[in-house]
Amino acid sequence: MVYCQVMKAIYLVTVLLLCIAGNLESQQFPSLDASPRAYEYARRTTGNAVHWRDLAEAALWASAVNAGPGAEEKAAAYLARIDAAAAEIAKEQPGDIKERGEYVLNFIHSRFLKSYSAKQTRVDEIFESGRYNCVSSAVLYMVLGTAAGLNVNGVITKDHAFVTVHIGTEMIDVETTNRYGFDPGNRKEFLDTFGQTGFAYVPARNYRERTAITKVELVSLILSNRITGLEERNRYTEAVPLAINRAVFLANSSTAHSEHKAMFFEDPRKNMMTRLFNLGAHLLKTGKEDDVISWAVYAEERFPDPDWQELIKNAANNKLVKLIRAKKITDAHAVLATVKPKLSETNYRELELMVIEAEIANHINTIRNPGDAEAALASLATMGDRLPPQRRNEMQTTAILAEVSRLGKARDWTGSIQWLESALQKYGSNAKLETTLRTMRQNKIGELHNEFAALFNKKQYEQAKAAIEKALQEFPDNQQLLKNLETVEKALQP
């Protein structure tokens, strides 16, 4: 922002929240129509030979003088002061153009500019309190300098604004925030409070990356700063009309936007769209979910842009996530159906897939009792064809292993093994399931070995032999069990 900082776009990172479009008439959204004065001042300030009084009126309008109670009277009073100042300058100004430029700067500092305030960007406030910043002081100088016959234009840098006076082939910088800022770097002769002649020296500023702007573009910085100031205070609804007015005001006057110029003076249309999206992002961030899609649909009709669809999609995504986390899958389906007409086919399918996956996952994550796993796998078979194959297989494996875990908690190794073997035959195998099956078998073999060892240690050899022979019926090739049988048979020999 040019407070003296060049305003920058703040387009907020999109927050993944959702809203369902409501009745547009019930929303307190800002008007998307520009002020009639925006069109009027755009017409009156078109071209190179802009009259200084038109610039003065436009500057006061940009400063919000034409709004609120008594606006017309205030505007007339401020214009009268500008008229009087222009008349006085015309009467007293030096004939030499360079001296005249310095005279105007000294005049506005002696009559109007009292104290620097970084965020005081409005021209009307200068007349009220004497507070100013680089933009408001530059605009006032430009108006009165133009009235005095000077060729004044604006300049912006990364964090500052000032003006230049063109005298023939010479271009002189004017740092309007400093009384001695005409052609910074030169000695300035002045009379001190005791009437003695002295000199002031204003160091020449290294205005790197500077770019020239027109008179009208300089006036528009007032609107830019007001917009940024509102957004800094989270007053995004109020910022939108100013951005629309600014775009209209500059429609006929803004010079072509080179890549270099765009670094400091953003294209008015692009800047306006950023403000519109910022309001949507703010509504999302503050949790006003039911307003977001309504705003996007409302604004998109007037100002089409692909990013509106992205905003709607992101909003829908977050609402669905909140419902999914709350296990309200039925509600999620209802919300998705409501928002479907406002989504592109691609975005709708993506969100639908998310809800379907969540529904299946909810079945899998609630496997607690016998039959739950079969129900989850049946759900996956019904809806899973819409999932990517890899994801479908992952969920299928998760459901199978959830049942294995349920049985394993009860130390039902036989049941776990039988379930897993049956699932492998029905659904196919993979490395994770094969590994789990080996683990289950090892658990069961370990349990059988422990039963045998307990009997053997009690010297109950017949019972131990019967137990190990039964175990070998289930695992006939297991070396541990075969060794146990050999051990007990030796113990039984006379």
Side-chain angles (χ1 to χ4, degrees):
M1 111 179 14
V2 187
Y3 283 153
C4 298
Q5 293 180 16
V6 172
M7 185 210 56
K8 297 180 180 178
I10 309 177
Y11 189 12
L12 302 175
V13 177
T14 304
V15 185
L16 296 181
L17 294 171
L18 162 100
C19 55
I20 306 173
N23 184 347
L24 292 182
E25 295 180 355
S26 68
Q27 309 301 327
Q28 298 301 312
F29 293 144
S31 172
L32 300 178
D33 294 319
S35 162
R37 289 186 182 274
Y39 292 101
E40 177 187 349
Y41 291 126
R43 176 184 57 81
R44 289 168 55 182
T45 57
T46 299
N48 295 324
V50 183
H51 195 275
W52 66 268
R53 205 171 191 282
D54 289 331
L55 292 170
E57 288 189 37
L60 291 171
W61 164 75
S63 301
V65 172
N66 301 102
E72 296 298 331
E73 293 78 3
K74 288 182 180 179
Y78 294 136
L79 280 172
R81 294 189 66 178
I82 293 174
D83 287 341
E88 185 174 351
I89 290 172
K91 182 179 179 181
E92 302 292 338
Q93 66 190 16
D96 180 81
I97 297 297
K98 183 176 291 189
E99 291 179 1
R100 189 183 306 175
E102 191 165 2
Y103 172 82
V104 172
L105 180 61
N106 185 66
F107 180 91
I108 65 173
H109 271 275
S110 62
R111 299 298 178 86
F112 304 120
L113 306 182
K114 303 304 179 186
S115 62
Y116 177 82
S117 177
K119 295 189 177 183
Q120 204 308 87
T121 195
R122 292 168 49 171
V123 172
D124 61 313
E125 184 62 28
I126 290 177
F127 299 122
E128 290 293 329
S129 66
R131 295 186 301 114
Y132 63 93
N133 74 350
C134 60
V135 171
S136 53
S137 61
V139 170
L140 183 60
Y141 181 94
M142 186 246 323
V143 169
L144 294 177
T146 303
L150 300 175
N151 183 6
V152 185
N153 281 291
V155 180
I156 55 173
T157 69
K158 182 179 180 181
D159 59 359
H160 192 48
F162 56 102
V163 296
T164 57
V165 175
H166 294 255
I167 302 175
T169 59
E170 187 177 7
M171 184 176 69
I172 301 174
D173 289 343
V174 184
E175 173 52 76
T176 57
T177 59
N178 191 303
R179 182 172 188 152
Y180 307 105
F182 189 86
D183 196 8
N186 291 330
R187 285 197 313 169
K188 307 297 178 182
E189 187 174 359
F190 70 100
L191 291 177
D192 63 20
T193 55
F194 299 100
Q196 300 298 314
T197 300
F199 294 93
Y201 182 83
V202 179
R205 296 187 59 170
N206 182 18
Y207 298 118
R208 295 194 305 166
E209 304 287 348
R210 61 189 282 162
T211 188
I213 56 176
T214 67
K215 293 178 174 66
V216 175
E217 288 173 332
L218 180 62
V219 171
S220 79
L221 294 181
I222 298 173
L223 288 167
S224 297
N225 281 355
R226 289 181 58 208
I227 290 166
T228 304
L230 288 168
E231 289 192 336
E232 287 178 345
R233 301 192 300 278
N234 294 326
R235 293 164 64 176
Y236 295 90
T237 299
E238 297 172 58
V240 165
L242 296 187
I244 295 172
N245 283 340
R246 180 176 177 272
V248 169
F249 175 57
L250 290 173
N252 302 324
S253 303
S254 188
T255 55
H257 275 70
S258 66
E259 183 177 349
H260 172 75
K261 182 174 182 178
M263 293 172 60
F264 311 108
F265 194 88
E266 189 178 14
D267 177 81
R269 164 83 184 192
K270 181 179 178 181
N271 181 273
M272 177 192 70
M273 293 304 300
T274 297
R275 266 59 266 170
L276 297 176
F277 289 125
N278 279 359
L279 173 55
H282 176 68
L283 291 171
L284 294 172
K285 183 179 179 180
T286 54
K288 297 178 180 177
E289 300 169 2
D290 291 337
D291 291 344
V292 180
I293 290 179
S294 295
W295 166 244
V297 172
Y298 168 64
E300 183 180 25
E301 184 175 355
R302 178 68 65 85
F303 301 110
D305 190 284
D307 284 349
W308 289 121
Q309 180 60 210
E310 190 66 17
L311 181 64
I312 295 171
K313 174 199 167 184
N314 288 340
N317 177 86
N318 197 75
K319 179 66 173 181
L320 294 173
V321 167
K322 291 171 70 174
L323 291 171
I324 288 167
R325 287 175 177 171
K327 311 299 183 185
K328 297 180 179 179
I329 304 300
T330 301
D331 291 347
H333 280 294
V335 165
L336 187 59
T338 300
V339 80
K340 180 179 180 180
K342 302 165 184 64
L343 290 166
S344 68
E345 181 66 19
T346 299
N347 287 342
Y348 172 75
R349 292 302 174 195
E350 182 178 333
L351 295 178
E352 181 189 40
L353 187 64
M354 181 179 70
V355 175
I356 290 172
E357 182 174 338
E359 183 172 1
I360 297 170
N362 192 47
H363 283 299
I364 294 172
N365 293 334
T366 55
I367 293 175
R368 301 286 186 274
N369 302 300
D372 287 349
E374 287 84 351
L377 289 167
S379 174
L380 183 60
T382 301
M383 298 183 288
D385 59 337
R386 290 183 248 183
L387 298 174
Q390 181 178 350
R391 180 57 178 152
R392 183 177 64 247
N393 292 338
E394 289 174 354
M395 297 186 79
Q396 184 174 271
T397 297
T398 300
I400 293 169
L401 294 180
E403 178 66 3
V404 169
S405 176
R406 186 187 72 81
L407 294 169
K409 288 178 180 178
R411 303 189 65 80
D412 183 1
W413 307 123
T414 299
S416 297
I417 293 168
Q418 291 175 348
W419 160 258
L420 194 47
E421 289 175 338
S422 174
L424 287 170
Q425 290 181 351
K426 186 173 182 180
Y427 300 108
S429 180
N430 60 49
K432 184 176 287 189
L433 294 178
E434 290 287 355
T435 299
T436 302
L437 180 58
R438 286 195 296 271
T439 300
M440 294 299 101
R441 285 171 173 168
Q442 288 301 322
N443 289 341
K444 180 61 176 178
I445 290 169
E447 185 178 81
L448 294 172
H449 169 74
N450 290 339
E451 291 176 0
F452 162 79
L455 293 169
F456 186 88
N457 291 335
K458 294 178 182 179
K459 301 186 183 302
Q460 296 177 1
Y461 300 129
E462 292 294 343
Q463 294 92 325
K465 181 179 180 182
I468 206 65
E469 288 176 339
K470 183 178 179 182
L472 283 167
Q473 291 177 6
E474 188 173 356
F475 302 103
D477 300 323
N478 184 263
Q479 293 302 309
Q480 177 66 60
L481 298 181
L482 289 171
K483 186 176 180 180
N484 289 345
L485 178 61
E486 181 181 348
T487 299
V488 75
E489 285 179 341
K490 285 182 180 180
L492 286 170
Q493 291 177 359

